[in-house]
Amino acid sequence: MKSSEIKSKFISFFESKGHKAMLGSSLVPKDPTVLLTLAGMLQFKPVFLGQEKPPYRRVTTVQKCIRMVDVERVGKTPRHHTFFEMLGNFSFGDYFKKEAVQFAWELLTREFKLPVTRLKIAVFEKDDEAYDIWRKDIGLPAEIIFRLDEENNFWSAGPTGPCGPCSEIYYDLGEEFGCGKGDCGPGCDCDRFLEIWNLVFIQYNRDESGQLLPLKQKGIDTGMGLERIASVLQGKSDNFETDLFVPLIRKIMAISTAGESDPSARIIADHARAVTHLIADGVFPDNTGRGYVLRRLIRRAVRHGKMIGIKGPFLVDLSSTVIAQMEEAYPALREKSALIAATLKEEEDNFMATLDNGMKLFGELQEAHKADKKITGEEAFRLHDTFGFPIDLTIELADESGMKVD
Ligand code: GLY
């Protein structure tokens, strides 16, 4: 099933269950507590908190997201991204746990026809209600329902705001993908159990002091990663082998020495999507805030391009592939294509002009600090100030060679 078909099936399934299909929001959120849109629920935070009237009681969206927490895992695992699309259904004071679970199960097993034997469920350890819904209403055997702790199964978009216990649905890729440890199961860090859908039962507002205040109206917020469900439905064990990434990876392979699963090629493909969308949503390279995220991703991609032997600038060309692939769903990409190209060109040219010399200096620093394994603050500043190395890039480079940055 093509990823575009997955999106439309998801949306029409929830429309058939009385949901209104709404547009996802910009990557630049209205919410001041987060830098970038990191989940589908973000545009509805005031609704969950009871500060705004719900546009509809049941809503469904496809939301583009950026999560920088995973940036260093991108390319090293088959399933992490900075930019991804999240399929979601929401209830604002309408249905709650039981219907959310029933809808998810029906979509996965009847519409998407996933084999039940591959699915595993996690619930928050104290949430007996959710456990009983899976066990009694859906009728699943106890062996496939796991009770996990707060870290795994209590979700919030940030330190404050609407939140609640959640239930995750995992796809078991099979023992051959596992770590083999005795306690390997849903929630394990290895690649065997792929979390495909998170159903969040929004029932609290966490205040500044960390206290959980019950909300007057409970709600549902779910998020299914398109890249992950696409890998499952396209019979792949790796998101980068889906139709969302193949055209980009092919293009990168054609201009580099990289093979299909080269981490640098995957990092570039991931970052090309992120930076194209960030610029379309009005972000420009800068040394702080969102602009810094954009700058960091562009420069990271350029450095990985160098590592796999790409000669000359390449990001503008890759962004045109992203635009061609995604413009139907995101028409702003085509409208802003000239701006995207000009912004990427300038940033890429600037960094390329200093990257070689900066890497040379970094090599010298490696030699100089063989014993203490620590780059000083002044040296890190010089890499930033003279050679345009964002501090996170210096830290990453240092990390790769077993060094620290003061
Ligand atoms: N908002 C649900 C999730 O991001 O998993």
Side-chain angles (χ1 to χ4, degrees):
M1 203 184 290
K2 279 204 218 142
S3 49
S4 55
E5 205 184 322
I6 298 171
K7 287 201 235 185
S8 55
K9 277 211 170 176
F10 183 96
I11 297 294
S12 42
F13 175 82
F14 281 102
E15 282 179 326
S16 79
K17 305 288 182 195
H19 293 63
K20 176 76 180 171
M22 284 180 65
L23 286 177
S25 63
S26 163
L27 284 172
V28 176
K30 288 205 183 103
D31 182 84
T33 66
V34 290
L35 206 55
L36 291 162
T37 295
L38 51 79
M41 59 79 78
L42 217 66
Q43 65 169 325
F44 303 117
K45 253 173 95 169
V47 176
F48 281 122
L49 292 175
Q51 295 160 350
E52 275 177 22
K53 224 175 121 252
Y56 307 91
R57 309 290 278 186
R58 299 178 177 204
V59 167
T60 179
T61 63
V62 178
Q63 177 65 57
K64 56 190 167 179
C65 300
I66 290 199
R67 285 192 185 173
M68 287 303 285
V69 286
D70 293 323
V71 66
E72 280 166 41
R73 300 171 91 174
V74 174
K76 294 184 188 152
T77 78
R79 61 198 160 99
H80 287 98
H81 305 287
T82 58
F83 175 93
F84 63 97
E85 290 176 278
M86 187 181 276
L87 308 170
N89 59 290
F90 306 93
S91 153
F92 307 120
D94 193 59
Y95 63 86
F96 199 43
K97 291 184 191 180
K98 186 166 161 183
E99 292 86 342
V101 165
Q102 283 169 333
F103 289 154
W105 193 250
E106 185 181 333
L107 179 64
L108 291 180
T109 59
R110 296 220 196 116
E111 292 286 319
F112 289 164
K113 299 193 169 39
L114 296 188
V116 173
T117 49
R118 289 271 185 182
L119 298 174
K120 306 271 184 265
I121 307 298
V123 296
F124 179 47
E125 57 197 356
K126 295 182 192 147
D127 193 350
D128 293 333
E129 189 188 352
Y131 184 92
D132 285 346
I133 293 169
W134 285 112
R135 186 82 184 84
K136 295 183 189 145
D137 293 282
I138 306 292
L140 298 186
E143 309 84 79
I144 69 163
I145 314 172
F146 296 77
R147 290 178 183 264
L148 299 186
D149 60 10
E150 186 168 335
E151 198 188 314
N152 279 291
N153 278 87
F154 195 98
W155 198 88
S156 53
T160 60
C163 56
C166 60
S167 179
E168 295 164 319
I169 303 170
Y170 286 83
Y171 188 82
D172 182 358
L173 283 159
E175 235 171 282
E176 63 275 30
F177 291 91
C179 58
K181 292 188 189 133
D183 60 353
C184 179
C188 180
D189 238 9
C190 77
D191 294 331
R192 174 167 177 184
F193 295 98
L194 180 69
E195 181 201 330
I196 49 176
W197 204 346
N198 187 16
L199 318 177
V200 187
F201 312 128
I202 300 274
Q203 57 190 96
Y204 303 107
N205 177 18
R206 200 193 300 267
D207 72 9
E208 302 282 336
S209 69
Q211 224 189 328
L212 292 175
L213 311 170
L215 287 168
K216 267 203 208 90
Q217 269 198 2
K218 292 175 185 169
I220 291 294
D221 150 37
T222 87
M224 169 151 67
L226 176 67
E227 295 70 11
R228 292 183 178 189
I229 189 70
S231 76
V232 171
L233 291 173
Q234 293 174 13
K236 313 285 183 192
S237 53
D238 188 321
N239 297 2
F240 290 95
E241 290 172 12
T242 65
D243 63 343
L244 292 157
F245 285 96
V246 165
L248 284 165
I249 299 279
R250 285 218 179 109
K251 213 165 186 178
I252 296 162
M253 283 168 65
I255 55 168
S256 72
T257 57
E260 229 164 46
S261 47
D262 191 301
S264 290
R266 291 165 170 224
I267 289 168
I268 294 169
D270 172 276
H271 292 9
R273 292 180 357 131
V275 301
T276 304
H277 279 277
L278 278 169
I279 301 168
D281 280 354
V283 181
F284 293 100
D286 199 346
N287 284 337
T288 57
R290 287 183 270 274
Y292 173 73
V293 173
L294 174 60
R295 171 158 286 163
R296 181 179 174 199
L297 291 173
I298 294 174
R299 295 188 174 196
R300 215 169 174 264
V302 172
R303 180 202 156 217
H304 280 279
K306 192 129 230 151
M307 284 166 70
I308 53 172
I310 303 182
K311 305 262 182 291
F314 59 92
L315 278 176
V316 174
D317 193 29
L318 288 184
S319 76
S320 67
T321 305
V322 175
I323 296 171
Q325 267 186 292
M326 302 182 89
E327 63 180 316
E328 206 178 312
Y330 303 99
L333 290 175
R334 177 64 59 198
E335 287 154 27
K336 301 273 182 70
S337 60
L339 178 73
I340 295 168
T343 309
L344 286 175
K345 182 168 172 5
E346 189 181 338
E347 185 69 11
E348 191 173 10
D349 286 350
N350 280 344
F351 189 49
M352 277 194 163
T354 58
L355 177 59
D356 283 342
N357 285 335
M359 287 307 291
K360 208 167 133 235
L361 171 60
F362 186 80
E364 286 161 19
L365 295 176
Q366 264 179 311
E367 275 300 305
H369 292 292
K370 256 193 178 141
D372 68 350
K373 299 224 168 275
K374 198 176 209 172
I375 291 174
T376 68
E378 271 125 35
E379 289 159 348
F381 180 75
R382 185 151 170 246
L383 279 168
H384 161 83
D385 194 44
T386 313
F387 301 104
F389 282 35
I391 182 65
D392 289 290
L393 179 58
T394 301
I395 293 170
E396 272 180 54
L397 287 168
D399 200 45
E400 284 166 19
S401 41
M403 296 167 83
K404 294 259 175 280
V405 181
D406 185 336

